[in-house]
Amino acid sequence: MQLKIYNSLSGEKEIFKPILEGNVGMYVCGPTVYSNVHLGNVRTFLSFDFIYRSLTHLGYKVRYVRNITDAGHLTDDGDVNNDRFVKQTRLEKLEPMEIVQKYTVDFHKVLEMFNLLPPNIEPTATGHIVEQIELTQKLIERGFAYESNGSVYFDVLEYNRRGLNYGELSKRNIEELFANTRDLDGQGEKKNPQDFALWKKASPAHIMRWNSPWGEGFPGWHLECTAMSTKYLGETFDIHGGGMDLKFPHHECEIAQGKACNDAAPVNYWMHANMLTMNSQRMSKSTGNYILPMQLVTGENDFFEKPFHPSIVRFCFLQAHYRSVLDISNDAMLASEKGFIRLMEAMKVLHSVTPNDEKQSSFNLEEWKNKAYDALTDDFNSPVLIAHLFEAVKYIFALNDGKETISTKDLEDLKSTLNALIFDVLGLQTIEENNNEKLDQTLKVLIELRNQARKSKNFELSDQIRDRLLAEGIELKDGRDGTTYVLN
Ligand code: AMP
Ligand code: ZN
């Protein structure tokens, strides 16, 4: 079985060859923890969770690193005063690290809710300032960076003069970049507008600041990922992932930093997950076109007609390939809910299927398994994989109706394959039965038993039921219409 991965760098599906056989080093850009993650962010992290689970299931030993961006960096327009952390600290009247802690906790809670596995290493930018300063020094020593007025910039034109190719990932050429760059950041400091900051001098208003050989400042955003990925995965590693929007400039700059530092491309396979849209527009905090994960799960929003369980959201996301745009809508969620319920129903039914070793089945299990794994290894094609799961679902219902047959061996095989694909690889979870409903039914049974005890004049037992429930905080109230209960 050969795993094929679409490499954004080559623009082609390539056969995956890890650097060290059987092992995978994977780095995924993490969140900027200055506010709550929106559902769009969740889609990207979920795409890579599915990829991580798939690689592990296929037998690779994966070291999965996903960082936390917690050091203030510049926004796209390059204005230091627009630093998202600085803005948020003012707004919430909190210390920068309080903001970081608050939203890191929220991020973890949200991902746990959607059953994402934690990465093996989750390094923070503020925990790797020393490494970032060292990298900056190395880039200056190698002639790829220069200091200017307390800031340090990467010299993009020098990089190209040496035959390296800035723009290779985003397929932009240097002239194009020159024409399109607005020189707001580092005006008068940069040699060329394309140059990007490795280290920025901190203005008096900037709270997050560190000492460096160039005075007090803070690192550039692109540098943290180079520092942390090389520290934990090596100068060249297997897979680097992130959302499509990070291709340029973030990942382009990472390639340049890596090549300039180590004379080698930092990443063998670049993977980019596509965007979640709502109302056919990219979900984003800045435009206001977004929904928070919790709002979808609790139903507290104006967009969806009802709440949706996190597993259904997960299922909906996986019904689209990670490289396709997914437009989330009420209809899409309702359709996913229907599909999810049918899939889970089939899994329940499967447990009561009786095998028959006499009759021949028309369902070729081996062939079906091959097709499912072909989809998984074809650039992690989750929608095709799910379509194959539904072929199995059809077969299971036919088995249940006695219209199909299965041998003992195949039944075991089908069960374990489906369990692995549905729960381990897709990471779906069954929806627990409603606990409140269960409690209500249990109490009704106890009330009925108490009534029977009273009828047969067994007052000792009927009082015992009432008192024991009261001790648990459940009060029984006898009225004209029968007995009800109150939870205290
Ligand atoms: P940020 O915290 O802004 O760095 O974003 C975290 C991750 O979410 C990045 O990988 C982004 O590419 C990704 N992202 C942002 N918006 C969307 C969206 N609408 N759909 C999918 N991924 C997104
Ligand atoms: Zn990054």
Side-chain angles (χ1 to χ4, degrees):
M1 194 156 30
Q2 266 180 335
L3 172 61
K4 283 180 265 102
I5 293 183
Y6 180 87
N7 190 346
S8 308
L9 191 61
S10 64
E12 281 173 14
K13 262 188 221 171
E14 296 174 12
I15 291 172
F16 179 63
K17 284 197 200 81
I19 296 167
L20 198 65
E21 212 190 312
N23 291 264
V24 177
M26 177 163 97
Y27 185 91
V28 173
C29 292
T32 311
V33 283
Y34 72 102
S35 70
N36 305 96
V37 278
H38 60 65
L39 199 65
N41 303 130
V42 172
R43 182 184 179 206
T44 287
F45 297 122
L46 202 147
S47 293
F48 286 101
D49 179 67
F50 165 61
I51 289 166
Y52 171 46
R53 286 169 175 274
S54 304
L55 289 166
T56 309
H57 178 69
L58 294 171
Y60 292 103
K61 186 170 184 294
V62 188
R63 179 181 285 174
Y64 174 26
V65 183
R66 190 186 62 214
N67 72 301
I68 297 275
T69 296
D70 61 348
H73 58 72
L74 308 179
T75 49
D76 290 343
D77 65 4
D79 184 349
V80 183
N81 294 319
N82 268 345
D83 180 310
R84 297 189 272 193
F85 284 94
V86 174
K87 270 190 165 176
Q88 203 63 24
T89 48
R90 285 193 199 129
L91 204 66
E92 295 197 40
K93 295 194 173 58
L94 291 173
E95 282 290 313
M97 286 317 272
E98 283 181 302
I99 296 280
V100 164
Q101 179 67 11
K102 178 175 169 185
Y103 294 113
T104 304
V105 168
D106 171 76
F107 172 64
H108 287 152
K109 262 197 203 152
V110 167
L111 295 200
E112 210 181 295
M113 181 165 83
F114 292 104
N115 200 26
L116 271 78
L117 297 171
N120 304 100
I121 305 176
E122 193 170 48
T124 63
T126 56
H128 296 77
I129 299 292
V130 172
E131 288 83 349
Q132 294 176 75
I133 290 175
E134 280 172 5
L135 269 183
T136 307
Q137 281 174 315
K138 193 169 173 187
L139 287 166
I140 294 175
E141 278 162 25
R142 301 191 114 219
F144 283 105
Y146 57 91
E147 192 249 356
S148 177
N149 190 30
S151 295
V152 181
Y153 295 97
F154 188 95
D155 192 338
V156 172
L157 293 193
E158 176 58 26
Y159 180 77
N160 268 14
R161 258 195 299 277
R162 297 203 201 176
L164 298 156
N165 179 16
Y166 188 77
E168 60 184 301
L169 178 67
S170 54
K171 320 282 183 256
R172 296 175 193 220
N173 67 38
I174 203 90
E175 287 77 29
E176 228 180 303
L177 286 172
F178 188 82
N180 294 335
T181 314
R182 289 176 302 151
D183 189 15
L184 290 169
D185 170 35
Q187 227 161 7
E189 288 181 355
K190 289 186 193 178
K191 283 192 199 166
N192 307 291
Q194 297 95 329
D195 296 351
F196 56 90
L198 298 169
W199 187 265
K200 241 359 236 178
K201 179 183 178 170
S203 67
H206 206 95
I207 326 170
M208 281 181 133
R209 56 208 293 147
W210 292 267
N211 267 327
S212 80
W214 317 283
E216 281 197 1
F218 54 95
W221 170 36
H222 316 309
L223 195 61
E224 66 175 69
C225 286
T226 297
M228 294 184 269
S229 60
T230 48
K231 176 162 178 160
Y232 298 109
L233 299 171
E235 288 172 2
T236 301
F237 55 93
D238 299 300
I239 297 176
H240 191 314
M244 209 69 113
D245 57 329
L246 298 188
K247 244 191 209 179
F248 186 85
H250 188 49
H251 293 160
E252 198 72 73
C253 294
E254 274 189 57
I255 294 180
Q257 289 164 166
K259 279 189 168 178
C261 259
N262 307 312
D263 298 320
V267 176
N268 287 344
Y269 300 84
W270 280 95
M271 295 184 75
H272 289 98
N274 217 327
M275 297 291 112
L276 183 71
T277 61
M278 194 164 85
N279 300 314
S280 306
Q281 273 177 7
R282 193 186 135 183
M283 198 171 278
S284 147
K285 273 262 169 89
S286 57
T287 57
N289 183 46
Y290 72 91
I291 182 166
L292 295 179
M294 228 23 202
Q295 293 175 318
L296 178 56
V297 168
T298 58
E300 284 162 26
N301 66 79
D302 302 326
F303 194 73
F304 296 91
E305 66 179 43
K306 62 187 276 299
F308 290 97
H309 190 276
S311 242
I312 292 164
V313 182
R314 190 175 170 111
F315 185 62
C316 175
F317 282 5
L318 292 169
Q319 281 182 298
H321 187 239
Y322 78 90
R323 283 195 289 119
S324 309
V325 170
L326 169 64
D327 193 57
I328 190 136
S329 64
N330 195 55
D331 287 349
M333 285 305 301
L334 289 173
S336 293
E337 184 175 56
K338 233 170 124 183
F340 178 83
I341 290 170
R342 189 166 153 82
L343 184 63
M344 291 301 147
E345 190 57 38
M347 289 305 281
K348 260 195 209 156
V349 163
L350 186 60
H351 288 287
S352 50
V353 165
T354 322
N356 183 337
D357 292 320
E358 309 299 315
K359 280 194 190 157
Q360 187 73 26
S361 166
S362 64
F363 188 84
N364 187 330
L365 186 65
E366 214 44 45
E367 209 173 81
W368 171 81
K369 261 170 69 177
N370 285 339
K371 281 194 287 184
Y373 277 91
D374 280 349
L376 187 63
T377 53
D378 181 19
D379 194 29
F380 311 100
N381 201 327
S382 54
V384 174
L385 170 65
I386 290 172
H388 290 311
L389 293 181
F390 278 100
E391 279 171 31
V393 165
K394 227 168 118 187
Y395 176 49
I396 292 168
F397 285 119
L399 285 169
N400 195 47
D401 294 342
K403 292 182 185 142
E404 260 292 0
T405 172
I406 191 164
S407 68
T408 313
K409 187 176 140 285
D410 277 3
L411 181 60
E412 285 318 302
D413 199 1
L414 182 63
K415 273 185 193 167
S416 68
T417 307
L418 283 175
N419 268 320
L421 291 175
I422 294 171
F423 301 115
D424 301 346
V425 177
L426 293 176
L428 299 174
Q429 286 176 308
T430 53
I431 298 178
E432 299 81 19
E433 287 184 50
N434 191 324
N435 283 336
N436 286 340
E437 236 168 70
K438 273 263 153 72
L439 178 68
D440 186 61
Q441 281 162 0
T442 311
L443 286 171
K444 279 185 183 143
V445 170
L446 282 168
I447 289 170
E448 201 186 303
L449 289 175
R450 176 169 169 262
N451 287 343
Q452 280 175 16
R454 283 207 292 195
K455 256 195 206 147
S456 54
K457 302 206 175 350
N458 187 347
F459 296 114
E460 197 183 326
L461 180 62
S462 69
D463 287 353
Q464 211 182 355
I465 292 173
R466 187 196 59 208
D467 296 344
R468 292 277 296 272
L469 284 175
L470 194 60
E472 297 300 330
I474 302 159
E475 191 183 346
L476 297 187
K477 291 196 171 207
D478 298 315
R480 255 193 288 157
D481 299 329
T483 307
T484 53
Y485 65 88
V486 181
L487 303 180
N488 293 317

